[in-house]
Amino acid sequence: MIDITGIKKTYPASGLILDDIHLHIDPGEFVSIVGQSGAGKTTLVRLLIAEEKPSAGRIAIGGWDISNLAPSEVPYLRRQIGVIFQDFKLLPKKTVFENVAFALEVAGERRLRIRAVVPQVLGIVGLQDKRNHYPAELSGGEQQRVVIARSLVHRPKVIIADEPTGNLDTINAAEVIEIFKKINEFGTTILLVTHNRDVVNQLRRRVITIERGRLISDEKHGKYVL
Amino acid sequence: MSGLIRIISYALQDIGRNAGLSAMTVFMLVLMLLSLNVVWTVNQLAGESIALVKKEVRLSVFLAPDIADRSIDELENYLRSFPEVISVSRLNRDQALAEFKARYAGRGEVLSALNELTENPFGPIFMVAARDPADYQRLISALALPEYDRFIEGTSFEAHAGALERLGVIIRRVTEGGIILLGLFSLIAFLIIFNTVRVAISTQRAEISIKRLVGAGSWFIRGPYLVAAVLFAVVSVALTITLVLITLRYVDPYLRGVFTNGFSLTNYYRSHILVIIGGQLLAVLVLTVLSSGLAMRRQLRV
């Protein structure tokens, strides 16, 4: 599903952030990427969503080489990857329904399809009853679930979540992780970038550890060990 | 099609969110267009004024008092032979004297000097009308033949030429002033539109980043700003044309007293309305789209 070969990323001011990363992720896997702050995890995420280009190496998602993607192709990549960040990124003046529908509107989907798909994904994340609420009326966990629903509308093959539980309490964090597990059961590849030791250890899934820009461990049923 | 409707809807939302700034933008565009219309109107009025004055200009050919009738006829035929000449009218000696007295009716010292003379000092006068004031100089040169030397005492045209030239200079200065004003308003409008789009992008940074995150294409992100620019252009042109037509209804009655040939600005505008609207819309569209495009280029990394 995801092939990362010899990836390096250098910034002029900061120097080498990622150094010779080799990684292969199969379809349907649930992978946690862990590491200290500044290890390069978020940089890796930015490379995967073509927010940045690698200084060297190759990244392929579903066989599509995205290492040197043209700006006009980036939107199409983003529609195939669900992206979830720590800071929710919801539109405050749109309802839950409208926030999720937004992802379909930008892709030019018809109203009929939007009206069919949005309730389905809201059902997956358990927010059917909150469709007419505004983000400010929701808890942190509910807001993150809206973001997950939005990321699901295009039926992505991959969901990349960068610290999705960072702003949540334990209970909400657990709910969000359960949703990810449910989505994974449907066959979607999940890449979870996290600091949360408890989450990683409870998942007992593949754990990749990055330290100072280098991949230092890759365990099938790993634990958060730093 | 639904994508375009959505983009128009987002544009209207943006305009509504920045209502004050949008109103200021339209206001500046209307000012710019009004100054354009003023320049154009002054140009039209100038053209009509000059044409009117040109029609009134005449070349006066003063003949010797003792010229024979046969020579007068010969000279008149000679003048009529020129294609530039529209008409030649003749004042006999008595009519020339009467015309002189009428012109200097308020000047007692001139008339009393005239009364000292025992006989009419004036000869017949030809009043020649040509197609263009530029033709008069040619006619004057054509009359400077040795055989007519003793018949023609003088010609009078220089005063009119001077007046026409002064009128032309005044009109040119007014037009130049109008163009400077137009340029100033255009620059201000350009900067205001630039700032409006810049502020809109700045206040919508979060929304724009979400659009990019969920896979919005470049057109979906830029489109609303371009549509807003087009809407500003259309509204400002519509407002301006309305204001101009209303103003002309009040101005035209005053102009009728000056332009006795029946010239009407309202009728002129109406008969050229498509060109006027089209030209102004094109000018404003270029301004608004260029300005928005520049603002987006600097503010959006799409």
Side-chain angles (χ1 to χ4, degrees):
Chain A
M1 186 74 241
I2 299 176
D3 270 301
I4 298 174
T5 314
I7 283 296
K8 286 187 182 183
K9 180 64 184 176
T10 309
Y11 291 108
S14 326
L16 191 65
I17 301 298
L18 290 173
D19 186 10
D20 199 32
I21 304 284
H22 291 266
L23 188 54
H24 175 78
I25 298 172
D26 286 323
E29 276 201 87
F30 195 131
V31 180
S32 299
I33 298 179
V34 302
Q36 289 177 345
S37 291
K41 307 185 299 296
T42 299
T43 304
L44 185 61
V45 168
R46 292 162 73 92
L47 292 177
L48 285 168
I49 62 172
E51 184 79 15
E52 308 260 0
K53 285 185 181 172
S55 306
R58 183 179 176 273
I59 301 176
I61 296 179
W64 184 12
D65 186 347
I66 65 164
S67 315
N68 282 298
L69 215 55
S72 57
E73 292 178 295
V74 171
Y76 298 102
L77 172 70
R78 301 262 174 96
R79 290 174 204 172
Q80 294 179 39
I81 301 176
V83 187
I84 295 146
F85 286 104
Q86 181 176 344
D87 56 355
F88 310 144
K89 290 194 192 300
L90 289 173
L91 297 166
K93 290 184 182 169
K94 289 188 187 290
T95 63
V96 166
F97 187 98
E98 289 163 351
N99 263 285
V100 176
F102 190 63
L104 289 167
E105 286 173 3
V106 303
E109 291 289 352
R110 291 168 175 264
R111 221 181 271 184
L112 226 61
R113 179 162 149 73
I114 291 173
R115 283 204 201 116
V117 168
V118 173
Q120 285 176 13
V121 295
L122 285 177
I124 293 172
V125 301
L127 286 176
Q128 312 92 304
D129 298 337
K130 306 265 179 166
R131 53 185 285 160
N132 293 322
H133 284 64
Y134 288 91
E137 297 166 0
L138 304 176
S139 68
E142 287 169 334
Q143 289 186 47
Q144 195 62 292
R145 282 194 268 162
V146 175
V147 175
I148 294 171
R150 188 179 66 194
S151 73
L152 289 175
V153 290
H154 292 300
R155 296 185 193 183
K157 297 188 177 67
V158 181
I159 285 185
I160 300 173
D162 188 2
E163 302 287 357
T165 62
N167 285 341
L168 304 178
D169 57 44
T170 317
I171 295 171
N172 279 315
E175 281 178 4
V176 165
I177 296 300
E178 284 305 312
I179 292 171
F180 281 134
K181 282 161 76 174
K182 190 160 78 173
I183 295 167
N184 181 238
E185 281 165 18
F186 291 142
T188 304
T189 307
I190 307 285
L191 218 66
L192 175 67
V193 176
T194 184
H195 276 134
N196 196 320
R197 185 193 301 269
D198 293 332
V199 161
V200 173
N201 292 343
Q202 278 169 22
L203 277 169
R204 284 197 290 266
R205 305 287 180 103
R206 183 176 172 191
V207 177
I208 291 167
T209 309
I210 294 180
E211 191 175 299
R212 288 189 198 143
R214 303 200 112 233
L215 200 157
I216 61 166
S217 81
D218 185 351
E219 297 178 20
K220 204 100 178 125
H221 299 284
K223 280 191 147 191
Y224 193 127
V225 180
L226 275 174
Chain B
M1 191 59 167
S2 60
L4 179 63
I5 293 171
R6 279 196 191 118
I7 286 168
I8 293 171
S9 154
Y10 291 148
L12 290 171
Q13 276 177 28
D14 291 346
I15 290 170
R17 276 185 215 158
N18 296 300
L21 212 47
S22 303
M24 178 56 75
T25 304
V26 170
F27 178 68
M28 280 315 302
L29 287 172
V30 168
L31 276 182
M32 186 202 81
L33 287 170
L34 282 176
S35 61
L36 176 69
N37 279 278
V38 164
V39 168
W40 193 73
T41 302
V42 165
N43 233 19
Q44 295 305 313
L45 290 175
E48 279 298 313
S49 304
I50 288 176
L52 212 63
V53 171
K54 277 182 184 177
K55 272 189 193 165
E56 301 299 317
V57 172
R58 294 283 184 275
L59 169 66
S60 299
V61 182
F62 300 100
L63 304 178
D66 59 349
I67 184 172
D69 286 345
R70 195 168 43 87
S71 301
I72 295 174
D73 292 337
E74 187 187 313
L75 201 52
E76 186 173 344
N77 290 336
Y78 176 63
L79 282 168
R80 286 186 189 280
S81 70
F82 290 95
E84 301 93 323
V85 170
I86 299 172
S87 68
V88 179
S89 56
R90 195 194 294 192
L91 294 177
N92 61 28
R93 294 183 66 194
D94 293 331
Q95 287 169 325
L97 179 64
E99 192 264 344
F100 182 88
K101 283 181 177 174
R103 200 189 315 159
Y104 291 97
R107 302 274 297 274
E109 70 279 13
V110 174
L111 292 177
S112 62
L114 185 65
N115 290 337
E116 293 294 316
L117 300 171
T118 52
E119 57 177 35
N120 183 357
F122 298 106
I125 301 175
F126 281 137
M127 307 292 287
V128 183
R131 297 188 196 286
D132 194 275
D135 296 332
Y136 290 123
Q137 204 52 58
R138 273 197 294 279
L139 288 171
I140 291 169
S141 305
L143 286 171
L145 294 174
E147 57 260 46
Y148 296 132
D149 214 18
R150 59 194 178 91
F151 296 139
I152 297 172
E153 283 195 340
T155 57
S156 170
F157 166 66
E158 288 73 20
H160 298 305
L164 267 176
E165 202 179 308
R166 279 196 299 279
L167 183 63
V169 167
I170 290 168
I171 288 165
R172 257 197 317 277
R173 291 278 178 269
V174 169
T175 305
E176 281 166 12
I179 289 171
I180 290 170
L181 202 65
L182 172 65
L184 184 67
F185 282 133
S186 299
L187 178 65
I188 294 172
F190 185 91
L191 291 172
I192 286 184
I193 293 163
F194 181 89
N195 195 52
T196 302
V197 174
R198 202 173 60 86
V199 166
I201 291 171
S202 190
T203 55
Q204 292 161 31
R205 278 213 183 278
E207 190 169 325
I208 291 168
S209 78
I210 290 168
K211 280 182 183 176
R212 291 169 63 204
L213 196 66
V214 298
S218 171
W219 168 238
F220 206 88
I221 295 173
R222 290 173 184 271
Y225 302 110
L226 289 172
V227 167
V230 170
L231 286 173
F232 287 147
V234 169
V235 168
S236 61
V237 168
L239 278 174
T240 305
I241 297 294
T242 306
L243 281 170
V244 166
L245 286 174
I246 291 172
T247 306
L248 288 180
R249 280 184 69 183
Y250 291 98
V251 167
D252 254 345
Y254 292 101
L255 291 176
R256 251 176 250 138
V258 176
F259 295 100
T260 51
N261 59 352
F263 174 74
S264 161
L265 273 175
T266 306
N267 290 344
Y268 191 87
Y269 256 82
R270 287 210 175 119
S271 62
H272 293 80
I273 196 74
L274 289 176
V275 170
I276 291 169
I277 291 176
Q280 292 186 30
L281 192 59
L282 185 66
V284 174
L285 272 173
V286 167
L287 183 77
T288 54
V289 170
L290 268 179
S291 182
S292 302
L294 190 64
M296 283 190 283
R297 201 172 160 174
R298 294 185 75 159
Q299 298 288 319
L300 283 176
R301 283 191 309 113
V302 183

